[in-house]
Amino acid sequence: MTQYKIISLFFVSFFFQYSLLSQKSIENYEIHIDTVELKQHLYILASDSFQGRKTGEKGQFLAADYIQNQFQIMGLSKAPNMDSYFQNFKLIEKSKSGIMSLNGQTLNFLDDFGFYDHFETLRSVNNELIYISDFKKLSGQVDYSEKVLIMEVSSIKEVDLFKAKEIYAKAIVYILTKYDQRYFSSFNDDELYFPENKNKIPYLFISKSSLNKENQKKLAEFKSSNKSNEIFGSLDVFLNENPKYVETQNVVAYIEGSDSVLKKEIVVISAHYDHLGFKHEKIYNGADDNGSGTVALLELAQAFQQSKNENNNPKRSLLFLAFTGEEMGLYGSLYYVNNPIIPLRKTITDLNIDMIGRVTKPTEKDTFSVYIIGSDRLSLDLHNMNEKANKNYSHLKLDYTYNDPNDKLNLYYRSDHYNFAVNEVPSIFYFGGFHKDYHKETDTVDKINFDKIKQICNLVFHTTWMLGNMEERPKIIIH
Ligand SMILES: [Zn+2]
């Protein structure tokens, strides 16, 4: 054996030991994700004293304080340029009464008309109405940004809200043949909305049966002669109440990366901590939705902070985001992407956890299962990395049922990762599955399987570790 060979053997064995060592140390941090602690946190956050953590109410503030205190105790930093762990912002309480005038006819809020989604820009409006028979009849030559469109549809089910979102108009008024005010009253139920939502336009619904003879006649005439893009008349809306603002907050913590260059990029790990609150004498504890994701976030933060304490943390920085306002419309994440603490172009991924605490399939007796949503929509690298982390470490059954773009439940649009995805940040939504207690007061902590939470945390942990250390960030594929 030559000396050269001896040297090369020395290097081989050195690298071999090094990789074993780093392997061992990853596992040393992973053990900080602990079912006893997951349980302790969740028994507090999903207890009655947190009153269902409704956005803008006492229980949500208590939960925000709890999460902040835990971040502090664990030793996580505040995010760069932040003087606290809170990212505060304001929401507006929806109006509960009002009137409108359609071509001079007075209509009453809820009895005759209702709102869907955001309507701040219509709080007080005086506008010309442009009739269209169909979205296909919109003209490419017309700037609709200051126009209110009016069209007739048979029921709310026929309204293509996803299509409507793409239309750049001031508002859309739908005349509904089958109008049911209960739909709008329950939607309106003391909720809050996001004031600076540029992505959404207001939709108004008017009951066709409430229209007076002149308006009925006019509508029939426009319809029969297909008068698309012509002026139908005028609309005035007055919502009576002065808007009331409510402050709420995301809770944010940070671990600076270990590489002087790559630390400028971040991996976001997120979970919403708000839930539905207290209504009809019942507390909606939201143990699974999303107490489970919130405690997972805390344990992940602790595990990674431990690696930081031992100077062995990932090269990229990590941002732990506990979102408020999710149940009311993904508001916390929407505020965040509109006001990111670290620029979104430096945000390589969002790994979002929502409802991972329940065993939801009979097959889970043997192996826990998790739904993976969105992983391949923007980046195959991200998808492959998550697969690899699972294969090498977590051994969960990955279920892509809800990732199908044709899936009727549209889960891809229904949690906070979506606000990152629309901004071209590759994202994964980890979801444990639906159960009969979903959005009911029976979503309680006694039904939670902490081993399942731990195993999904393990997958998020290893995916994050890989994302944090890989040379190249996940490449974006645009469809
Ligand atoms: Zn929910």
Side-chain angles (χ1 to χ4, degrees), residues 272 274-276 289-290 326-327 354-355 414 438-439:
H272 78 87
D274 66 301
H275 193 52
L276 304 172
D289 186 6
N290 184 26
E326 194 270 354
E327 301 287 8
D354 195 353
M355 296 174 65
R414 287 172 53 184
Y438 170 69
H439 278 206

Side-chain angles (χ1 to χ4, degrees), residues 45 63-72 251 273 294 298 322:
L45 286 166
D65 283 339
Y66 183 82
I67 296 162
Q68 172 197 241
N69 290 340
Q70 292 305 316
F71 282 152
Q72 214 161 16
V251 192
Y273 70 93
T294 308
L298 290 176

Side-chain angles (χ1 to χ4, degrees), residues 103-119:
N103 291 336
Q105 180 197 356
T106 301
L107 296 163
N108 294 307
F109 185 45
L110 289 187
D111 288 338
D112 308 319
F113 76 96
F115 283 100
Y116 194 86
D117 270 333
H118 167 65
F119 54 83

Side-chain angles (χ1 to χ4, degrees), residues 254-379:
Y254 176 72
I255 296 177
E256 187 179 51
S258 55
D259 182 277
S260 59
V261 178
L262 291 179
K263 73 179 183 186
K264 289 175 187 137
E265 294 180 344
I266 58 159
V267 179
V268 168
I269 304 155
S270 62
H272 78 87
Y273 70 93
D274 66 301
H275 193 52
L276 304 172
F278 180 87
K279 52 185 176 183
H280 313 302
E281 319 262 299
K282 287 169 190 157
I283 299 173
Y284 289 66
N285 299 109
D288 186 34
D289 186 6
N290 184 26
S292 62
T294 308
V295 299
L297 186 78
L298 290 176
E299 287 296 283
L300 284 160
Q302 188 192 31
F304 280 107
Q305 183 58 38
Q306 198 57 41
S307 73
K308 172 83 177 169
N309 295 346
E310 294 171 23
N311 290 322
N312 199 17
N313 57 305
K315 293 173 180 170
R316 290 188 176 79
S317 301
L318 307 177
L319 196 71
F320 296 88
L321 270 168
F323 287 124
T324 184
E326 194 270 354
E327 301 287 8
M328 290 182 182
L330 315 183
Y331 295 152
S333 52
L334 183 59
Y335 183 82
Y336 181 83
V337 297
N338 288 349
N339 304 274
I341 295 168
I342 286 140
L344 292 179
R345 64 191 155 77
K346 296 275 178 201
T347 304
I348 69 159
T349 306
D350 170 44
L351 302 179
N352 182 56
I353 311 164
D354 195 353
M355 296 174 65
I356 55 164
R358 293 286 291 269
V359 166
T360 56
K361 294 181 191 173
T363 51
E364 290 192 88
K365 269 198 297 244
D366 306 319
T367 312
F368 291 126
S369 178
V370 62
Y371 293 98
I372 301 294
I373 301 158
S375 62
D376 62 351
R377 302 272 183 121
L378 290 175
S379 171

